[in-house]
Amino acid sequence: MESTTGQVRSVSGARSEDPPSGASAGVAPHGALLLDDPSPEGAAPVGLEISGGPTIQTYDPRTGQVLAIVPDQSAEEVRASVARARAAAGPWAALTYKERARHLLVVRDRVLDSAEELVEVICAETGKQRAEAVTTELMAVCETIDWYAKHGERILRPQHVGSGTMAHKSAWKRYEPLGVVGVISPWNYPFTLSMTPVVTALFAGNAVVLKPSEVTPTVGLAIGRLFVDDTWGDLVQVVTGGGATGDALVRSGVDKICFTGSVRTGKRVMAAAADTLTPVLLELGGKDPLIVCDDADVPMAVKGAVWGSMQNSGQTCMSVERAYVHADVYDRFVALVLAEVASIRQDDTGSGDIGAMTFGPQVDVVEAHIADAVAKGATVLAGGVRPERPGWWFPPTVVVDVDHTMDLMTEETFGPVLPIMKVSSVDEAVLLANDSPYGLNSSVWTEDADLGEQVANRLQAGNVCINDCIVSYAVTGLPFGGVKSSGMGRVHGAEGLREMSNVKSVLGRRVKLPRELWWFPVPKHLDRIAIAAMRARFGTGIRTKFGRSGRA
Ligand code: NAD
């Protein structure tokens, strides 16, 4: 069978014996062309001839040097991948849930077997620290496979529903595969946010075509390799390229698009999908608030707020992007935040607390938001200035004197920045938290369990953590997704699995009657019989049950 590695053959036209001058190059096990001695920041790899079509190159964010070159695949190549996936979809859909689970557990074993190599691939293209890659990428995916292998069959097996007045009928719903699911993923968690929809779609009986971000395509290709074997080699196809390749996938006739990325691109995806009425699941951006009440355990809230805003260098859709802190604890909170931020180890060793940012242009966004805030009266208490070093680095940054006139408090910053605003009450904090077009995750800190739940209920968000932040995503049983501009549909949980299915309603016969009452010829007094039956069945008391019908 054609494997996903087949898709990088056009790249392998540049042979490993023909490196760019001054550099050595090799075809990595996962298919991309990797440069061992990369060229300087932004420069094309000198003398490297790639035959077989257009390409894109990726960078090591820690150094800014070119890392790999992969094909920029055309709409025709995308359609060919969809066709291969479709051919594999039928036999896969015919398997039992247990058989599908067994194969996904084999894939999970491959993840475990190659954990160290996968971590290297992820860190090289994202600038993450190794522990971040292990916990938020590999472990999160293992957890998801585990949960669906254990609970998936129960969620998807046919379910009977009451048949109401038609008691002689039997009614049930069944969940059927969609066919081929297109997955388009972003660069911030290139493994988790590709694998989660991929394995969910597979468990539901679909084949998949994955289009990873053009910033992190070698992670996508490594994912493709996890699925390559003699039996199911075509089930997961990986296509590499930029926005045009993603657009081609949306228009390729797939049966659903699972898109994770920015609001701007999400709107484009939805508009393109409207042409073919292709259903879409959209996991988009956020501007997640964190509320600290006056009774909070302040040192703990500080730990959470700093971790939640800085982990993965702030490049998490659920990052804490703004904090609202009660005036009674504000000064202490800010002082402890500064001490905590000063202790963050940001380096390129791979074993610090945070690493580089992943995407060069995102650093520009962070700088622009800080400049806008400062111009409008904000004060930077820590960080705030891009360091003079190669690669894409931005220091942990704390900003106060902020308000909702500033982009830093209203637009997604996606960097290691914690803006803190003083509030006089919980009501004010909730009002400000909800004053946003986004609604992804949110966080409230209080020692009063009732208050925590009340605030959680009032927050306009798809997800809320009480006395924590971000980590609700790690509980696979909880559906994850956004409200408002943060998206539609859910991943994880029963809802996430059913997103990947068509629900078919079936009405069968429980008892055979000679005829149905409503068939032709309609009985002469059916109207009166039906009114009497309706009153008897739905009336809430003796009078409505038998009143007028009794007199009639
Ligand atoms: P992006 O929107 O720029 O790109 C996402 C993907 O869409 C990439 O693979 C890209 O190639 C593809 N794409 C671009 N144009 C396209 C088009 N016209 N049609 C189809 N596909 C197209 O997002 P990004 O910068 O890679 O990721 C960061 C964004 O993702 C942030 O806004 C972040 O909040 C969001 N995000 C959301 C979640 C979530 O679960 N809600 C998770 C992670 C990231």
Side-chain angles (χ1 to χ4, degrees):
M1 283 195 181
E2 187 80 12
S3 77
T4 48
T5 50
Q7 292 155 358
V8 296
R9 278 185 196 136
S10 55
V11 154
S12 61
R15 288 163 293 134
S16 53
E17 307 92 82
D18 295 338
S21 58
S24 60
V27 178
H30 43 79
L33 187 70
L34 292 184
L35 306 182
D36 301 332
D37 184 11
S39 58
E41 180 171 2
V46 184
L48 186 65
E49 296 286 329
I50 302 284
S51 61
T55 58
I56 48 176
Q57 55 191 26
T58 76
Y59 300 89
D60 182 336
R62 300 166 295 193
T63 60
Q65 292 174 326
V66 175
L67 182 76
I69 298 174
V70 301
D72 188 6
Q73 290 188 280
S74 66
E76 199 182 322
E77 288 171 294
V78 170
R79 284 193 294 272
S81 291
V82 172
R84 279 196 292 275
R86 201 168 286 291
W92 177 253
L95 297 186
T96 64
Y97 296 116
K98 282 193 178 50
E99 287 166 333
R100 284 182 217 152
R102 207 171 298 134
H103 183 60
L104 289 176
L105 292 174
V106 169
V107 170
R108 189 180 60 179
D109 280 347
R110 292 178 189 156
V111 172
L112 297 174
D113 285 344
S114 55
E116 286 81 2
E117 291 77 18
L118 285 169
V119 165
E120 285 309 314
V121 175
I122 293 167
C123 292
E125 228 164 30
T126 60
K128 281 179 207 281
Q129 303 291 25
R130 282 191 296 274
E132 276 177 339
V134 175
T135 53
T136 64
E137 304 261 23
L138 304 193
M139 196 179 282
V141 168
C142 291
E143 187 84 39
T144 300
I145 294 176
D146 189 67
W147 200 83
Y148 283 131
K150 283 187 179 130
H151 303 284
E153 180 168 1
R154 174 180 55 76
I155 293 164
L156 291 186
R157 71 177 164 225
Q159 291 172 19
H160 277 275
V161 299
S163 50
T165 306
M166 292 193 285
H168 60 300
K169 303 277 187 191
S170 173
W172 68 94
K173 51 188 176 174
R174 54 180 265 112
Y175 294 93
E176 298 182 344
L178 298 163
V180 178
V181 172
V183 172
I184 301 175
S185 56
W187 46 257
N188 60 333
Y189 290 93
F191 192 76
T192 303
L193 296 176
S194 302
M195 280 292 272
T196 299
V198 167
V199 300
T200 311
L202 290 176
F203 190 85
N206 306 287
V208 179
V209 179
L210 165 67
K211 207 298 279 176
S213 168
E214 60 273 41
V215 182
T216 51
T218 66
V219 179
L221 292 167
I223 288 173
R225 257 191 81 74
L226 291 171
F227 290 93
V228 171
D229 60 37
D230 289 344
T231 320
W232 294 111
D234 277 355
L235 196 58
V236 176
Q237 299 283 311
V238 180
V239 291
T240 55
T245 310
D247 184 64
L249 182 56
V250 176
R251 298 174 189 278
S252 66
V254 290
D255 301 286
K256 183 156 189 165
I257 284 288
C258 296
F259 172 82
T260 308
S262 63
V263 172
R264 195 186 64 243
T265 312
K267 287 180 182 173
R268 286 188 192 143
V269 166
M270 196 168 169
D275 283 348
T276 47
L277 284 179
T278 302
V280 289
L281 185 162
L282 300 177
E283 295 287 350
L284 308 179
K287 187 74 191 170
D288 294 356
L290 171 139
I291 294 175
V292 182
C293 302
D294 57 356
D295 70 333
D297 179 331
V298 175
M300 200 170 264
V302 165
K303 283 269 176 201
V306 172
W307 176 80
S309 55
M310 311 285 169
Q311 63 83 229
N312 203 36
S313 288
Q315 304 162 114
T316 304
C317 54
M318 305 168 276
S319 288
V320 172
E321 287 252 336
R322 49 199 172 114
Y324 302 101
V325 181
H326 195 282
D328 290 356
V329 293
Y330 176 84
D331 289 343
R332 186 167 171 234
F333 182 87
V334 172
L336 290 175
V337 161
L338 292 176
E340 178 77 4
V341 164
S343 73
I344 291 177
R345 294 165 304 144
Q346 183 181 36
D347 57 42
D348 56 5
T349 61
S351 56
D353 295 322
I354 62 173
M357 290 183 66
T358 301
F359 186 41
Q362 199 65 41
V363 188
D364 302 337
V365 173
V366 175
E367 271 186 333
H369 282 193
I370 291 173
D372 171 72
V374 169
K376 291 172 179 164
T379 309
V380 177
L381 295 183
V385 180
R386 187 199 294 235
E388 293 277 332
R389 66 182 288 187
W392 297 301
W393 295 85
F394 203 85
T397 296
V398 180
V399 188
V400 295
D401 303 327
V402 288
D403 62 41
H404 281 211
T405 64
M406 303 167 183
D407 290 347
L408 190 61
M409 293 298 280
T410 55
E411 299 293 326
E412 192 179 48
T413 305
F414 227 55
V417 185
L418 179 60
I420 309 171
M421 189 169 172
K422 190 192 289 186
V423 293
S424 56
S425 67
V426 168
D427 284 348
E428 186 190 0
V430 171
L431 208 68
L432 287 165
N434 289 341
D435 176 29
S436 171
Y438 298 100
L440 195 53
N441 212 332
S442 50
S443 163
V444 54
W445 296 75
T446 169
E447 290 301 289
D448 177 341
D450 290 340
L451 177 63
E453 203 175 323
Q454 281 165 25
V455 173
N457 294 345
R458 292 170 64 194
L459 287 170
Q460 296 166 357
N463 322 270
V464 189
C465 294
I466 302 172
N467 292 317
D468 213 328
C469 43
I470 297 183
V471 293
S472 53
Y473 185 87
V475 180
T476 310
L478 282 176
F480 173 82
V483 300
K484 301 199 275 188
S485 292
S486 290
M488 58 186 68
R490 294 292 180 266
V491 296
H492 282 172
E495 290 80 357
L497 194 51
R498 289 177 183 152
E499 286 273 357
M500 303 293 188
S501 315
N502 267 329
V503 58
K504 181 181 278 177
S505 299
V506 186
L507 190 70
R509 185 166 72 191
R510 196 194 309 272
V511 178
K512 184 175 180 184
L513 300 179
R515 59 158 284 169
E516 298 295 350
L517 257 186
W518 50 87
W519 284 353
F520 301 139
V522 176
K524 196 162 173 226
H525 299 300
L526 182 59
D527 54 340
R528 287 165 57 187
I529 296 166
I531 286 177
M534 216 164 61
R535 286 186 173 135
R537 182 160 148 67
F538 302 116
T540 48
I542 297 290
R543 196 194 61 76
T544 27
K545 274 187 182 300
F546 303 109
R548 281 177 57 103
S549 58
R551 287 200 304 274

